[in-house]
Amino acid sequence: MSITVLLVDDEENTRINLGGLLATKGYEVIPAATLEEARAHIQKGEGDVVLLDLQLPDGYGPNLLIEMANMANRPPVIMITGYGDIESAVDAMKNGAMDFLTKPVDFGQLEKSIKRAADYVAMKRELENLRREKMRDAEFVVGASTVMKEAVDLAAKAALKKANVLIIGETGTGKDVLAQYIYTIGSRKANSYVAINCAAIQNTMLESELFGHEKGAFTSADNRKRGQMEMADGGVLFLDEISSMSLELQAKLLRSIENKTFKRVGGEQDVTVDIQVVSASNRDLPTLIKENKFREDLYYRLRVVEIVLPPLRERIEDIPDLVGYFVRKYNMKNGVNVRSVSPQAIEALQKHNWPGNIRELSNAIERAMIFCDGETIEVRDLPRDVAVKSE
């Protein structure tokens, strides 16, 4: 694995000597004499590991650690100084330094420190590769927008911690896809993923669908039936359009989540389950709480992590990536061979308001590919309400 070391030191001899020794060990070295130079390299993503001097001509080295605190891909930092006082070492370590070495640097110790940092970088790279592979498995398109990257990062953390997640977003924004993604990248992937659309089932039947029922519990209950919550044991339960659930059933759901037990309809025996609950709503739940249409205690139990998916009109920079994904998908599904989308067609797609969000975009691309005469989607191939915006 190739590792690049950003060596930040104002002493030219140190940069030459340490840089030369590191190069003989196979590391690529980028020298920097000031904090300003170091910042420029780090902002460009240059430097897998940073060797940072304590005192620099334009500032205090550990201040760079504070500046990097919120970086998504923050490189590990090893502090180097001729002022080997404990207070500075503790200060640097508190701010996230991986190690602290004093001048004159013992190259054996430095090599060990860099090896530890390189192992950390390798681990991060492997995790990132796995994350990308799992995204492909989940057919999830992040796109270029900051807001979607933040949403996906939240989802990944929630998946890792097995936390309950509440996804808020308009119809068609991909709430169900994000829920599937949380399951796919999480540690519960080996177990069941069960999805219920609460709006599609009458409340009188939703309780039985969720918790199951015993034989004879009601007129048509000829046999015992396991509910979806029981089927999801050990895995993930996705409750779509959770706001459609009646207050009475909300109370039962709350108890089952808190106690990890429930009773089947008509049953007396407790059924114990271990599930991660991912729920979604296209309605404003705090407003429903004020209107006494949704339980506040259930709301807080469901939204350990809340993820807001923006409408497509607020993330138009993601449209090219989404279009590319749908073209690949419908080439395979419909046996066509569309290779590209004209710049004019992309511009028209980005001008449209997309009230139906990603679902509407998917339908528009599938339709365009059906009517496309060649290998490139043109404006004329798009639905009229989309194409007319470009005229």
Side-chain angles (χ1 to χ4, degrees), residues 138-186:
E139 298 188 339
F140 195 81
V141 180
V142 178
S145 65
T146 300
V147 67
M148 276 307 297
K149 289 177 180 176
E150 290 174 351
V152 171
D153 283 343
L154 269 177
K157 290 175 183 176
L160 185 65
K161 299 297 184 182
K162 306 177 186 178
N164 290 343
V165 181
L166 175 62
I167 306 171
I168 303 295
E170 294 179 7
T171 298
T173 50
K175 298 186 292 296
D176 55 339
V177 178
L178 185 62
Q180 180 78 44
Y181 169 70
I182 290 169
Y183 164 71
T184 301
I185 69 166

Side-chain angles (χ1 to χ4, degrees), residues 41-294:
H41 288 298
I42 291 169
Q43 286 169 2
K44 294 176 185 176
E46 298 171 344
D48 300 309
V49 178
V50 180
L51 295 184
L52 181 62
D53 194 13
L54 189 73
Q55 301 289 351
L56 291 161
D58 56 344
Y60 184 53
N63 288 342
L64 190 60
L65 288 165
I66 299 171
E67 294 173 22
M68 294 193 299
N70 295 320
M71 284 180 58
N73 295 310
R74 172 181 177 173
V77 177
I78 300 169
M79 294 298 308
I80 300 179
T81 180
Y83 307 88
D85 59 292
I86 298 300
E87 186 176 340
S88 295
V90 171
D91 183 41
M93 300 299 279
K94 281 182 179 179
N95 287 319
M98 180 172 279
D99 209 344
F100 190 97
L101 303 175
T102 56
K103 295 179 181 178
V105 175
D106 182 290
F107 191 71
Q109 287 184 331
L110 175 61
E111 193 175 3
K112 288 178 183 177
S113 293
I114 292 182
K115 178 64 169 59
R116 283 196 296 270
D119 289 343
Y120 173 76
V121 171
M123 178 194 69
K124 284 181 64 178
R125 286 181 181 175
E126 182 62 25
L127 288 174
E128 183 62 24
N129 289 335
L130 287 171
R131 191 167 76 94
R132 289 196 189 100
E133 289 174 8
K134 288 175 178 178
M135 280 184 187
R136 287 195 291 270
D137 292 342
E139 298 188 339
F140 195 81
V141 180
V142 178
S145 65
T146 300
V147 67
M148 276 307 297
K149 289 177 180 176
E150 290 174 351
V152 171
D153 283 343
L154 269 177
K157 290 175 183 176
L160 185 65
K161 299 297 184 182
K162 306 177 186 178
N164 290 343
V165 181
L166 175 62
I167 306 171
I168 303 295
E170 294 179 7
T171 298
T173 50
K175 298 186 292 296
D176 55 339
V177 178
L178 185 62
Q180 180 78 44
Y181 169 70
I182 290 169
Y183 164 71
T184 301
I185 69 166
S187 58
R188 294 174 177 262
K189 182 180 178 181
N191 298 310
S192 298
Y193 175 81
V194 177
I196 302 177
N197 186 336
C198 300
I201 305 172
Q202 292 183 351
N203 268 298
T204 53
M205 296 303 297
L206 185 55
E207 182 177 1
S208 172
E209 186 69 20
L210 189 59
F211 300 120
H213 61 251
E214 298 290 349
K215 181 179 180 180
F218 44 85
T219 304
S220 59
D222 298 326
N223 297 288
R224 170 190 280 183
K225 176 189 173 183
R226 295 173 68 203
Q228 297 300 307
M229 183 172 281
E230 191 172 349
M231 299 288 284
D233 187 25
V236 173
L237 176 67
F238 176 49
L239 300 174
D240 200 5
E241 303 308 339
I242 188 72
S243 62
S244 301
M245 189 177 288
S246 69
L247 287 170
E248 181 183 2
L249 189 50
Q250 287 177 34
K252 293 179 180 180
L253 175 63
L254 174 64
R255 285 196 297 272
S256 70
I257 294 173
E258 287 182 335
N259 301 329
K260 297 186 178 181
T261 62
F262 62 89
K263 290 181 174 66
R264 299 187 188 98
V265 177
E268 297 180 356
Q269 184 178 357
D270 283 337
V271 179
T272 302
V273 290
D274 172 25
I275 57 174
Q276 179 181 12
V277 179
V278 179
S279 52
S281 177
N282 63 0
R283 302 176 67 187
D284 182 56
L285 295 183
T287 297
L288 295 181
I289 290 170
K290 291 177 183 177
E291 296 172 353
N292 294 318
K293 294 179 181 178
F294 200 85

Side-chain angles (χ1 to χ4, degrees), residues 16-37:
I16 292 173
N17 294 335
L18 282 185
L21 288 169
L22 290 171
T24 64
K25 297 297 180 179
Y27 297 107
E28 181 180 344
V29 180
I30 300 174
T34 64
L35 281 177
E36 185 178 359
E37 286 181 46

